[in-house]
Amino acid sequence: MTLLEGVLVALAGVLAGGINTLVGSGTLITFPTLLAFGVPPVTANVSNTIGLVPGSISGAIGYRRELAGQRARVLRLSSASLVGGALGALLLLVLPASAFEAIVPVLILLGIVLVVLGPSISRRVAARHAERGGLPHHGAWWVWPSVLLAGIYGGYFGAAQGVLLMAILGIGIDEALQRLNGIKNILGAVVNGVSGLVFAVVAPVDWQVVLLIAVGAVVGGQLGAKVGRRLPDPWLRATIVVVGLVALTAFLVG
């Protein structure tokens, strides 16, 4: 890899880290960049996954204020992401690359619709649970298995995983969107971390690529947190929808 290519990969890491912290879908920037520079697809996918882990952690640190008081909730949901990420990584290793091509656009579209309808749906969910004594602190019963499924998808490929997570959390947990975004960053870091660990052991990894993306993603994670934490909930929701639509278009056109 030339010096110019290395710089461009690092810059792609900055953009991906920022977008992942805000919404998710940073893979749609780094993965095509690596392919354009001749990195084999499997190596690009696994190296990208490992490289984005520090960026996810950086974004989570940037949202540490919003995470205050959510320790038990984060630990509970992280267990779902841990299991899901490991299963997704294993599926990537054993299934053909075309296995999820049909379901990925459907999942992204579902996430977008749920994000848009989230406020009204969450109000109905909260009202229904209020009749039974209120929504549990960790969310509705279906949040954990839904986060598990999102983790499987994230471990397999990961683009727009954040859109799905924000839809699940926004509907199933009675909490401000910014605080939920902090949880989303933790869950994304868990999924990328465990799948990256699996890939590092059994799949081909380009550690130069990992380092370049990691450095860029850490910077991007901090920048994304600074921007994202200042966005009002409606603007953050709109950003999620826009990025989701871009991700959906990229899959359909590609």
Side-chain angles (χ1 to χ4, degrees):
M1 183 174 294
T2 67
L3 177 60
L4 176 59
E5 290 174 344
V7 171
L8 292 176
V9 169
L11 288 176
V14 173
L15 293 174
I19 291 175
N20 278 344
T21 301
L22 276 171
V23 183
S25 300
T27 292
L28 294 176
I29 295 176
T30 46
F31 185 66
T33 300
L34 296 177
L35 294 182
F37 293 148
V39 181
V42 173
T43 301
N45 192 16
V46 300
S47 302
N48 175 67
T49 297
I50 299 172
L52 288 177
V53 173
S56 299
I57 297 173
S58 175
I61 293 173
Y63 267 86
R64 59 189 178 278
R65 293 180 185 175
E66 285 73 18
L67 289 168
Q70 301 196 85
R71 179 183 178 87
R73 180 185 288 162
V74 168
L75 289 175
R76 185 176 188 277
L77 294 178
S78 292
S79 65
S81 291
L82 183 68
V83 175
L87 290 175
L90 293 175
L91 286 177
L92 178 65
L93 297 175
V94 301
L95 293 179
S98 59
F100 276 12
E101 285 184 359
I103 194 63
V104 167
V106 175
L107 289 175
I108 296 175
L109 181 59
L110 176 62
I112 294 170
V113 172
L114 291 178
V115 167
V116 172
L117 300 179
S120 61
I121 296 176
S122 60
R123 282 194 297 269
R124 294 179 184 178
V125 171
R128 187 171 300 175
H129 279 272
E131 299 174 356
R132 306 174 185 174
L135 196 66
H137 176 72
H138 54 262
W141 67 267
W142 47 263
V143 170
W144 196 95
S146 297
V147 170
L148 171 68
L149 293 175
I152 293 174
Y153 167 69
Y156 187 89
F157 185 61
Q161 175 190 190
V163 176
L164 292 173
L165 283 173
M166 288 302 291
I168 294 166
L169 300 177
I171 293 172
I173 299 178
D174 185 17
E175 190 63 86
L177 201 63
Q178 287 288 3
R179 284 171 61 80
L180 295 178
N181 202 29
I183 298 177
K184 179 266 294 176
N185 288 329
I186 292 287
L187 300 182
V190 170
V191 170
N192 280 354
V194 67
S195 58
L197 181 61
V198 173
F199 294 151
V201 174
V202 299
V205 180
D206 187 325
W207 292 105
Q208 181 184 19
V209 167
V210 170
L211 178 61
L212 290 171
I213 291 179
V215 171
V218 168
V219 175
Q222 289 299 304
L223 294 175
K226 288 183 179 180
V227 173
R229 293 175 67 245
R230 296 176 182 176
L231 289 176
D233 279 5
W235 282 93
L236 180 58
R237 193 178 303 277
T239 302
I240 295 171
V241 171
V242 169
V243 173
L245 289 173
V246 170
L248 179 62
T249 303
F251 274 110
L252 293 177
V253 171

